[in-house]
Structures are given as C-alpha cells and as structure tokens.
C-alpha cells in the first residue's frame, strides 16, 4: 500500500513537472503572487481590448501592430521570469532578487519599441548606441527566457543563427556570406518587424492569445468535463469504449486547446484509468491518449496556432486554411477510433455497462436521423433567416442576433435544468456505470453556443480570426457569469450573490489560465522570429536549399523524407509552433522549387501542412516526446514504451502528409462539393484499410501477405493516378514552337505543363515546370494575349520575348529571355478513379480469405 502511494506521489510530481512546461513551475504566495495574478489578468484584458472594436469607437487606446507586439512580449517576458525558475535547485515559492532584475530589464527591452516608438520611427535603419545596448540586452534576456520556459533546444538553435549572422565571412565556403555588423543585427532583429517582432509574434498577439484564452475560459466554465462525459456516454459501452471515448473527447478538447501536453493531462486524467479498467495495458492506454491528444493540434479551427501562421506565410484566407486542413484531420481521427477498435478485438475486450434504456436499432436510427434533420432545418433557418433579415434590419442586425442568442441560451439552460447537474468525477474512483446519454448531452448544450458563434463569424461572416475569437470569448464571459445563477434559479435553489460571485471567480481563473498558457507560446514565437530574421538577413535559406538539393540529389521523395526527419529532430526540443515556423521558413520554399524542377506542382499550403504534421509528431516520438511522458505519468507506464506505441498508432498521421503532397485532392484543392464527398468517403475507407494493415488485424489476424495487399489497396485508393499514369500518359508532348496552337486547342478548364530554362534571381541556371491555366479567349492568339505572354523563335529555340506587367504570365514566373524547353498538353483518357475497381477487388479477396479463416478458427475453438 505504501509502495502504491509512493508511486502515485512520484507520478503526480512527474505530471506537475510536465505541466510546468506550459504554465511555469513556481507556486508563489503573498505579494509576488498577487502581482503575478494581477499582471496575468491585465495581459488577458489588454488582448481583449486590442481585439475589440471599442478603441476605434471611443478613439482611445488604439495601438499600431508593432506597439501591440511590443506590449505582448513585455508581458510574456516579465511573467516568464516570475513563473519559471532559472535552475532545478532554484526556489519555487518565491522570486529571487536576480530574477526581479532580469525580468524588469527584459520587460523594458521588449517595451522599448513602444516607449520610444516616435524616436525610432524618425531614424529607421540608423540605430544609436542606446538602441544597440537595449537590443543586445533584449536578445540575451529573450534567449534566457526561452531556455527557462521551453528548455535549451530552441535557445541553442536561435543562438546558432545569431552567431551565423555575425560570423558569415569566417564560415566554410558553402555557408559563407558577407556578414552582418552588430548594429545591423540589432536593427534587423530587435528594432524592426523582420526579426523578433515579426510575423510570428504578430500572429501570437493578434490571434493565438484570444483562442488560447477562449479555450481556457471554456475549460473553467465546465466544457472540458462536459465533452468527456458526453464522449463516455456515447461510446463507453462499445468494445474498448473508454479508449474510443478518449479519442472523441481529446478531439473535442483539441478544437480549443493549443497544447498536446495540456490536452493529454486534461482528458487523460479521466480516460487513462478507465482504459486500463477494461483491459488496456498502461502503455497502450497512455499511447491512445497521446495519439488522440496530439492530433488535437491538427484539428481546425485552432490547430495549435499554426492555422494563423499559415494565413500569413502562405497568403491565403483563414477559411481556406481550415478547408484544406479539415479532411486529413477528420480522417486521422476516424482511423484512430478504428485502431482502438482493432486493439479491443485482438484482446477480446468489452465495454463498460451502459445505463441507457435499451432501444431497438430501428428506433435508434430513426432518432438519430430525426435529430440530424432538425439540426439541418435549424441551420438553414438561421443561415437564410439572417440573410433575409440583414437587409431589413440594417445596422440593428447584430443587436437582434444578440437578443435571439440570449433567448436561445436561456432556453437551453432551462432545458438542461430538467436533468441532474454534471459532477466532476474523481479519476481514482471505480466507475462501473456510464452516464446516460440524453441527460448528459442536454445539461451542457449551452457550451456549444460560443463555438457556434466562433465558427459562424469565421466561416459565414468572414470576420478576421481575432475579431471572431473576440466575440466568441465575450459570449463565453457572459455565460461564465450568468450560467450558475440562471441554472440555480430554474432548479429552485438560487443563491444569487454566491452564484454570481462564483462566476466572477471562475472568470478570473480563466483569464489567469489563458495568460499562463500563453507565456511559453509568446516567447516561442519571439525566439523563432530570431531564426526567421537571420534567414532573411543572411540568405541562408538559399544555402540550405542548395545543401538539401545536393543531399537529396534532386529527388522530391528524398527531400520530403529529409524534411520530415528535420521536423522530428527539431520538434524534440521545440514547441510545435516554433518548430513549424523554423522548418517552414527554411524548407517549404525548397520543397516547392524542387517539386517544380521534378515536374510536380506542389501547392504551398500542402508543404506547410506537411511540415506541421511532422512537427506535432515530435510530441509523440521518443526520446523526448513530452506528451508521451505526460501520459506515462498518469498511467504509471514506461514513458519510452508509451512513446513507441503512440508513434505506432500515429503512423496514419505520418502517412497522410506524403499522400496529400502527391494527391492534393485530399486537401480539397480544386474539387467540387460532390467530388469532396466522394474523396472523403474513399480516403476514409483507404485509411481504415491502412490502419488494418499496420495493426496486423482486420477480421482476424493478418497473414504477412494480407498486410502487404492491404497496404497496396490503401495506396491505390489514395493515389489512383499513380497506376493510371503508368497505363496511359495523361499528357502528350507538343513542340515548344506550337505553344500558341496548343493553348488554343485545349479545353478551357485544362492546363498546359511547360518546362522553362533560365536564370534565377542570382544569375544561376535553373529549370522548373509551371502549370499554365487556359485563359479566356476563342483562339490561341487571343488566349496568349490574355495570358500576357509574347514568344519569339531564335533558330530552333522558343524564347520568352516579353510578359505584360501584372499579367498571369508574370505571376507564373515567365521572364524575358527564358527558353521554353517543353510543352505538354492534356489528352483524353479514362478517369483515374477507374483504378479503384481493381483495388477494391483485391480488398474483397483479402476479406474472403479472412472470413474463411475466421470460420475455421471458430469451428475448431
């Protein structure tokens, strides 16, 4: 017994240490604690203020983007020095004098741009000695803050790039550059928006904080417990039910959480003990939680802050990012539920006892369809109702919508008051019976309203992510203050003063939690800005491109493997957001350009998602997978074995990026709604087959050749074009001199594949492929004119004579004196989807073999 208590105590300590990577490990008291809590609250309120339209309405408190970034980093650095001790032996219950001094100096250096904004704007690019001293101090203290909050790896990487900037002339020949002076370095990194105060910190300031705060408020209001209870009530009674519930609960939590560790601990504290109870080993229970929690970061709308960075780096709208990221994330979660199901089948597990009244399957299906139809009818009524009311109500529309929302909120609370309140369970208690589904769902429906408002503002109103999160957060604040008194009133047990007070206390806790969760993210984006700044100042990106191209020998698959490995290595010590910033800045352009040289047009969003997916895999992968250590601290299992098992479960997440690089339809790029539905169904089916192959089990245990056949079927369903291209080339070669004629012959919705030889911006020979969309026009000449391209013949060579300024040809990369080497026009052929038929036939063969073997096994059992 004493040994169990000691193990529990040790696990609890490990868990606290891991959580401190997100929120800081100091537990202050007295005046320092009050100061910390006050500053954290002030930071959250400041972020709400700058996101709101109020400053512009009252004409007060309007800050420029650079000023807000400066204030944002000021809060992050000062709170970091208060929350994170310098060393393991440093005191945890107080802030030493040195940390007060360092924190104050770091805060001043970060606030320097805001305080001296006018003076700095009058001397751009010409820093004085005072600027340089403050900048150097700021860089050093930012690196130290990064080490404390995030560990040494990101600090070391940032420091290497700073040293590289200064020591350029002394580097080996391939890495050498002109070098940067100290004044130039400080100006670029600290006094402009090219380095520390660049895009990454801007995204953290404008968008990320509000989404993290929104998630913290939802959690404090009770939504996290609600999601877990709903998932268990729906799925807990199936085979391996608690594990399936863990996947769904982590997916729902991941919608609003930016941290895989926090997600693992939040849901894992409840789900892991229950998974162990139905037969999962400690390592497998932890691995399921890790795989589902880490995948929360690929689930829109938040995606661990990466979605907002992609908006800036890729140059597309937030809605487009969500559209491209949604399908792979959903497929990945469905596959994980299936993997859990296979594990339960292999081990002969059963679910927990259901407390739902028994219903025939027909009634269940009718009930589900009725609910779905009602939801669809309500969605249409709201969407088209608001669309009809907007012209009638004009400026009063938001007020009317707010009143309707308030009425719906009160009605949902009244509906929920008819059922017992949700209790927060002790994860150590024996839970032998699951909560009933209907009462559990009904009692917390009002938590869905802020998420609906968020999605509505983003997807329908097309507001900015920051403003959308602001309105959703304001509704969340209103709910936190009012839900308890209104709920108690409907239940006939009202204590108005106590309930309102409790609501404000929970709100305060949520504001503090949001700020604490943001300390590491704010510092990570600032430190990653050093790396991005060094890349832009030294041109090391081009050097790296040459290096990677040399190592990969120009092979796109090899460069993708190198990128994946680099993302995993960097991710072992970097937070997901910082890892994404670094690798996307260094390698995303290289992958795109190498793809062009190999004749594969890779959309930039596909490359960025590729980098991001492998960045989050580092939270799983031993030896540093922090989420695996967090899960092991809860489960009591071995963290390394948990990590390897979680990586095994996450193979589907590792396979998806390679698939959508070569088949961009998975990202819903250039597909119709009907095509999107078909792609979703087929890709989901393919991923389930892939899961069955990698898990070695489908209807029964796979033979080795069956696993190989299943992998072949999954590949065929994902990339039917690979086989069709081998049977029939989709393009025919056209002489470059007949470019104009080919442009006139092809259909309007087609593309020509054109290979171009020329010189890059630095005078080096380059060769790349562009897809030339067919412009408007009835003849080749008119289409060529609308394209903005003029060609000339010189002997037997076809050269670019001129491109019209601002034309489509200029955007595609056509430039004077380039040579058109080859032109390929599409040809009529069978649709690639016909290859699904032989693939499905092979799958049917495997099913037949396994069914026959399963019957034999049952007969002999």
């Amino acid at each position: 017994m004493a040994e169990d208590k000691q193990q529990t105590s040790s696990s609890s300590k490990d868990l606290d240490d891991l959580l401190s990577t997100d929120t800081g490990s100091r537990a202050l008291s007295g005046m320092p604690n009050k100061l910390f809590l006050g500053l954290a609250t002030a930071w959250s309120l400041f972020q709400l203020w700058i996101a709101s339209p109020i400053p512009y309405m009252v004409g007060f408190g309007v800050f420029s983007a650079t000023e807000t970034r400066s204030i944002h980093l000021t809060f992050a650095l000062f709170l970091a020095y208060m929350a994170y001790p310098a060393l393991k032996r440093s005191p945890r219950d107080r802030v030493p004098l040195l940390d007060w001094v360092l924190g104050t100096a770091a805060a001043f250096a970060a606030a320097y741009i805001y305080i001296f904004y006018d003076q700095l704007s009058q001397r751009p690019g010409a820093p004085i000695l005072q600027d340089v001293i403050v900048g150097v101090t700021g860089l050093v203290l930012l690196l130290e803050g990064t080490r404390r909050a995030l560990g040494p790896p990101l600090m070391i990487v940032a420091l290497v790039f700073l040293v590289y900037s200064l020591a350029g002339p002394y580097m080996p020949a391939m890495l050498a550059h002109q070098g940067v002076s100290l004044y130039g370095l400080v100006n670029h990194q600290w006094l402009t928006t090219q380095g520390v105060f660049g895009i990454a910190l801007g995204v953290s300031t404008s968008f990320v904080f509000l989404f993290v705060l929104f998630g913290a408020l939802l959690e404090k209001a009770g939504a996290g417990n609600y999601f877990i209870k709903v998932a268990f009530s729906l799925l807990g009674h199936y085979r391996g039910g608690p594990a399936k519930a863990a996947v769904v609960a982590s997916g729902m939590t991941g919608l609003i959480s930016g941290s895989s560790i926090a997600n693992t601990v939040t849901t894992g504290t409840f789900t892991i003990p229950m998974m162990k109870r139905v037969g999962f080993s400690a390592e497998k229970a932890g691995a399921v939680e890790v795989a589902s929690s880490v995948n929360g970061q690929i689930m829109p709308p938040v995606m661990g802050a990466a979605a907002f960075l992609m908006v800036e780096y890729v140059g597309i709208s937030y809605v487009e990012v969500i559209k491209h990221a949604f399908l792979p994330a959903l497929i990945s979660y469905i596959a994980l539920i299936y993997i859990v199901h296979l594990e339960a089948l292999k081990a002969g597990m059963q679910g927990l006892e259901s407390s739902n009244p028994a219903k025939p399957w027909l009634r269940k299906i009718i009930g589900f369809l009725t609910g779905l139809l009602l939801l669809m009818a309500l969605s249409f009524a709201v969407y088209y109702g608001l669309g009809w009311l907007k012209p009638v109500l004009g400026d009063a529309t938001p007020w009317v919508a707010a009143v309707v929302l308030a009425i719906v909120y009160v009605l949902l609370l009244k509906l929920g008051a008819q059922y017992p309140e949700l209790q927060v369970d002790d994860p150590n208690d024996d839970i032998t019976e699951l909560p009933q589904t209907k009462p559990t769902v009904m009692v917390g429906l009002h938590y869905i309203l802020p998420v609906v408002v968020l999605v509505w503002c983003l997807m329908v109103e097309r507001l900015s992510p920051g403003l959308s999160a602001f309105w959703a957060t304001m509704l969340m604040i209103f709910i936190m203050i009012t839900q308890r008194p209104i709920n108690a009133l409907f239940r006939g047990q009202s204590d108005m003063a106590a309930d309102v007070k409790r609501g404000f206390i929970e709100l305060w806790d949520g504001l503090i939690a949001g700020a604490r969760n943001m300390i590491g993210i704010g510092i990570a984006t600032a430190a990653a800005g050093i790396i991005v700044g060094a890349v832009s100042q030294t041109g090391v990106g081009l050097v790296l491109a040459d290096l990677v191209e040399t190592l990969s020998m120009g092979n796109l698959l090899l460069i993708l493997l190198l990128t994946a490995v680099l993302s995993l290595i960097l991710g072992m010590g970097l937070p997901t957001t910082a890892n994404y910033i670094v690798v996307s800045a260094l390698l995303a352009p290289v992958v795109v350009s190498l793809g062009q040289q190999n004749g594969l047009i890779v959309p930039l969003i596909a490359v960025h998602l590729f980098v991001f997916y492998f960045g989050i895999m580092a939270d799983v992968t031993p030896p540093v997978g922090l989420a695996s250590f967090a899960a092991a601290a809860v489960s009591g299992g071995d963290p390394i074995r948990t990590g390897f098992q979680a990586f095994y479960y996450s193979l589907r997440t590792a396979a998806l990026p390679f698939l959508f690089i070569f088949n961009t339809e998975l990202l819903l790029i250039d597909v119709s709604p009907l095509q999107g539905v078909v792609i979703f169904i087929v890709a989901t089916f393919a991923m389930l087959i892939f899961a069955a192959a990698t898990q070695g089990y489908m209807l029964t245990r796979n033979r080795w050749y069956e696993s190989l056949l299943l992998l072949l079927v999954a590949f065929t369903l994902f990339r039917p074009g690979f086989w069709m291209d081998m049977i029939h080339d989709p393009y025919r070669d056209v002489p470059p001199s007949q470019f104009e004629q080919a442009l006139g012959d092809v259909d309007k919705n087609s593309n020509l594949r054109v290979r171009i030889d020329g010189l890059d911006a630095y005078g080096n020979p380059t060769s790349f492929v562009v897809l030339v969309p067919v412009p408007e026009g009835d003849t080749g000449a008119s289409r060529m004119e609308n394209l903005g391209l003029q060609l000339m013949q010189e002997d037997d060579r076809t050269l670019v004579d001129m491109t019209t300024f601002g034309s489509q040809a200029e955007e595609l990369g056509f430039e004077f004196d380039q040579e058109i080497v080859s032109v390929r026009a599409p040809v009529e052929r069978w649709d690639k989807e016909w290859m699904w038929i032989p693939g499905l036939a092979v799958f049917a063969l495997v099913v037949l073999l396994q069914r026959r073997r399963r019957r034999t096994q049952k007969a002999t059992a």
Side-chain angles (χ1 to χ4, degrees):
M1 189 72 175
E3 188 178 335
D4 288 343
K5 284 184 177 178
Q6 187 176 358
Q7 185 178 357
T8 303
S9 173
S10 174
S11 294
S12 177
K13 184 179 182 304
D14 291 342
L15 203 55
D16 290 341
D17 289 343
L18 283 160
L19 279 172
S20 72
T21 61
D22 275 355
T23 59
S25 58
R26 278 202 178 116
L28 303 174
S29 59
M31 186 55 69
N33 187 51
K34 291 179 181 177
L35 177 63
F36 181 88
L37 298 181
L39 286 173
T41 307
W43 192 12
S44 292
L45 294 174
F46 167 75
Q47 295 290 156
L48 285 171
W49 173 264
I50 61 172
S52 73
I54 298 174
Y56 300 96
M57 293 165 60
V58 300
F60 170 77
V62 179
F63 302 96
S64 70
T66 306
E67 289 174 318
T68 56
R69 294 175 192 182
S70 174
I71 297 170
H72 180 83
L73 186 58
T74 301
F75 275 113
L77 280 172
F78 191 79
L79 290 174
Y81 278 94
M82 289 190 73
Y84 294 92
L87 304 167
K88 286 188 176 180
R89 62 176 180 272
S90 300
R92 296 291 195 272
D93 58 345
R94 62 185 177 84
V95 182
L97 178 60
L98 179 61
D99 284 2
W100 285 114
V101 173
L102 294 177
T104 304
F108 173 76
Y112 186 75
I113 288 183
Y114 170 67
I115 298 170
F116 296 96
Y117 187 76
D118 291 336
Q119 292 93 315
L120 289 169
S121 63
Q122 292 170 13
R123 52 173 189 270
I128 59 176
L129 181 61
Q130 171 186 301
D131 300 339
V132 174
I133 292 171
V134 171
V136 170
T137 303
L139 287 169
V140 170
L141 292 178
L142 172 60
L143 291 174
E144 168 58 13
T146 303
R147 184 192 68 80
R148 293 184 181 209
L150 306 163
L154 179 56
M155 180 208 72
I156 293 170
V157 173
L159 187 59
V160 165
F161 275 86
L162 286 176
V163 171
Y164 176 74
S165 297
L166 293 170
Y170 311 105
M171 290 288 168
M174 189 174 184
L175 296 173
H177 63 92
Q178 188 175 355
V180 177
S181 68
L182 181 62
Y183 275 55
L185 177 75
V186 169
N187 179 69
H188 190 81
Q189 293 284 7
W190 199 262
L191 302 178
T192 68
T193 55
Q194 301 298 313
V196 170
F197 297 96
I199 288 174
L201 188 63
V203 168
S204 176
T205 307
S206 304
F207 309 142
V208 180
F209 192 107
L210 287 167
F211 279 86
V212 171
L213 177 61
F214 178 64
L217 292 174
L218 262 176
E219 178 63 34
K220 293 294 179 183
N225 181 51
Y226 172 69
F227 289 154
I228 293 171
K229 289 286 184 82
V230 168
F232 270 92
S233 69
L234 287 169
L235 299 169
H237 60 285
Y238 292 111
R239 284 180 181 270
K244 293 173 182 172
V247 175
V248 174
S250 295
M252 290 192 288
T253 307
L255 289 171
I256 55 173
S257 170
S259 166
S260 53
I261 299 170
N263 204 351
T264 299
V265 174
T266 303
T267 55
T269 305
F270 298 93
T271 59
I272 289 174
M274 296 183 77
M275 280 189 266
K276 290 169 69 177
R277 204 166 292 137
V278 296
F280 280 86
S281 67
E283 284 76 20
K284 285 190 176 181
V288 169
E289 182 57 47
V290 169
S292 50
S293 293
V294 168
N295 268 26
Q297 292 192 79
I298 65 174
M299 182 64 77
V302 179
M303 293 171 61
F308 314 116
L309 289 160
M310 286 179 196
V311 169
E312 301 295 331
Y313 289 156
V314 182
I316 60 178
S317 71
Y318 183 75
V319 174
E320 286 290 305
V321 170
I322 290 176
K323 184 185 86 171
H324 297 319
F326 179 70
L327 196 59
L330 186 60
I331 291 170
S332 190
Y333 263 108
I334 292 171
L336 184 55
I337 292 175
Y338 183 59
I339 287 172
V340 167
H341 179 69
L342 293 177
E343 286 284 9
L345 283 176
K346 282 192 280 187
M349 296 178 195
Q350 298 299 321
L352 297 174
E353 184 181 344
S354 175
S355 58
N356 290 323
K359 287 183 182 178
W361 274 103
L362 186 59
R363 283 185 62 189
K364 287 183 179 180
I365 293 171
I366 291 172
F368 173 76
L369 291 176
T370 304
L372 184 63
L373 288 172
L374 286 173
L375 183 63
M376 291 172 64
L378 181 64
S379 302
F380 274 101
V382 171
Y383 183 81
Y384 289 105
L386 270 179
W388 176 72
L389 284 173
K390 273 183 182 179
V392 177
L393 297 173
D395 293 339
T397 304
W399 297 104
V400 174
V403 170
V404 172
L405 195 64
I407 293 170
V408 171
Y409 165 61
V410 173
L411 290 176
L412 288 177
L413 283 178
K414 182 174 176 58
L415 181 65
Q418 299 172 21
Y419 302 93
E421 284 189 270
L422 288 181
Q423 301 298 319
V424 179
D425 297 324
D426 184 342
N428 296 314
D429 290 345
D430 284 335
I431 301 174
T432 56
E433 191 172 313
L434 296 167
Q436 286 191 21
T437 301
K438 185 177 179 181
T440 305
V441 171
M442 291 299 181
V443 82
L445 281 175
H446 61 286
Y447 292 129
I448 308 298
L449 288 178
V451 180
V452 170
V453 168
L454 175 66
V455 174
W456 176 273
C457 290
L458 284 170
M459 309 296 286
V460 180
E461 297 296 330
R462 298 296 179 103
L463 300 181
S464 70
L467 195 54
S468 301
F470 169 77
W471 289 120
T473 304
M474 293 310 294
L475 177 58
M476 196 65 244
I477 290 173
F478 175 74
I479 287 174
M480 292 184 78
I481 295 171
T482 60
Q483 66 172 345
R484 293 192 183 280
I486 297 175
N487 200 14
L489 192 66
F490 285 136
R491 293 178 185 274
Q493 51 191 33
S494 178
D495 184 354
M496 184 66 70
D499 289 333
V500 171
K501 182 180 178 182
R502 187 175 173 188
F504 274 103
I505 290 173
E506 288 177 345
L507 170 59
W508 189 39
D509 289 343
L511 293 172
I512 293 167
R516 288 197 77 137
N517 293 340
M518 270 304 299
I519 295 173
I521 297 174
I523 288 179
T525 52
I530 293 176
I531 299 159
V532 176
V535 170
S536 65
Q537 192 173 24
T538 63
V540 68
L542 295 170
V543 174
L544 192 70
D546 290 340
L547 179 64
V548 170
E549 188 174 356
T550 303
L551 289 173
S552 65
M553 297 171 288
N555 185 290
L556 184 62
L557 190 58
L558 273 178
I559 192 179
L560 290 173
L561 287 170
L562 284 171
T563 304
V565 170
L566 181 62
S567 299
L568 284 172
I569 292 171
L570 283 174
M572 286 181 184
L574 271 62
T576 305
T577 309
N579 182 14
Y580 164 69
I581 294 168
V582 174
V583 184
S584 64
L586 293 175
L587 289 181
V590 184
V591 176
V592 172
S593 63
L594 266 184
Q596 280 190 311
Q597 292 172 26
N598 281 267
L600 180 69
I601 311 300
V602 184
L604 194 55
I605 182 66
V607 181
H608 279 258
L609 283 171
F610 180 95
V611 167
F612 177 60
Y613 267 58
F614 278 99
I616 68 164
M617 289 293 290
D619 277 345
V620 177
T621 313
V624 190
L626 292 179
S628 299
F629 277 82
V634 177
S635 69
D638 178 76
I640 300 298
R641 288 173 61 192
T642 301
F644 278 116
Q645 187 67 52
F647 183 77
Y648 190 49
Y649 287 156
S650 300
L651 277 176
R652 75 212 184 285
T653 309
L656 273 169
F658 286 98
L659 293 167
F660 60 59
I661 284 284
F662 292 99
N663 182 9
T664 56
E665 289 179 349
L666 285 171
L667 301 179
L668 300 181
I669 295 175
D670 296 330
V671 297
S672 66
L674 180 60
Q675 285 176 308
V677 172
V678 173
I679 289 164
F680 168 66
I681 294 170
V682 173
T684 302
F685 187 53
M687 187 52 73
L688 297 183
I689 295 172
F690 178 81
T694 54
Q695 292 300 305
Y697 196 99
M698 191 167 67
L699 301 178
T700 184
R701 291 193 182 277
N702 298 346
R703 300 274 169 80
W704 66 268
Y705 55 85
E706 289 174 340
S707 291
L708 286 178
L709 287 174
L710 288 175
L711 286 174
L712 183 65
V713 171
F715 178 76
T716 302
L717 294 179
F718 274 122
R719 276 207 68 198
F722 178 82
W723 305 112
M724 185 58 77
D725 290 350
M726 293 176 69
I727 296 171
H728 193 309
D729 195 327
Y731 291 92
R732 62 181 175 87
D733 289 317
V734 176
S737 58
Q738 297 177 20
F739 187 123
E740 182 178 303
Q741 181 183 339
L743 197 62
D745 291 341
V746 295
D747 296 333
K748 287 185 178 179
N749 297 322
S750 300
N751 295 284
L752 292 180
R753 295 177 66 88
V754 180
R755 179 170 286 281
I756 302 167
D757 282 355
L759 301 177
D760 62 16
Y762 298 89
N764 299 317
T766 183
S767 178
F768 58 96
V769 173
V770 293
L771 277 183
V772 180
V774 178
E776 293 293 324
D778 298 324
T779 64
S782 62
R783 288 179 175 179
M784 187 71 86
E785 184 179 349
N786 290 330
L787 184 63
L789 182 64
Q790 291 184 22
L791 303 178
M792 65 177 180
Q793 292 296 130
E794 189 176 278
D795 299 329
D796 58 345
R797 300 167 68 212
T798 303
L799 304 177
V800 176
D801 186 28
M802 190 177 74
T803 57
T804 306
F805 178 74
S807 65
Q808 195 173 19
E810 188 181 58
E811 291 175 4
L812 290 169
F814 287 96
E815 292 181 2
F816 170 72
D817 212 31
Q818 290 175 335
E819 182 182 358
I820 308 296
V821 179
S822 69
V823 178
R824 308 198 76 206
V827 296
E828 289 288 333
R829 67 165 186 172
W830 288 0
D831 291 331
K832 61 185 179 182
E833 285 76 16
W834 283 106
M835 297 308 302
W836 288 344
I837 294 176
L840 292 173
V842 173
F843 175 70
L845 174 64
V846 175
V847 170
L848 191 65
L849 290 172
Q850 292 206 355
R851 287 184 66 181
R852 184 179 300 171
R853 194 159 68 252
R854 189 173 65 173
R855 281 198 300 268
T856 305
Q857 289 168 350
K858 284 183 178 179
T860 56

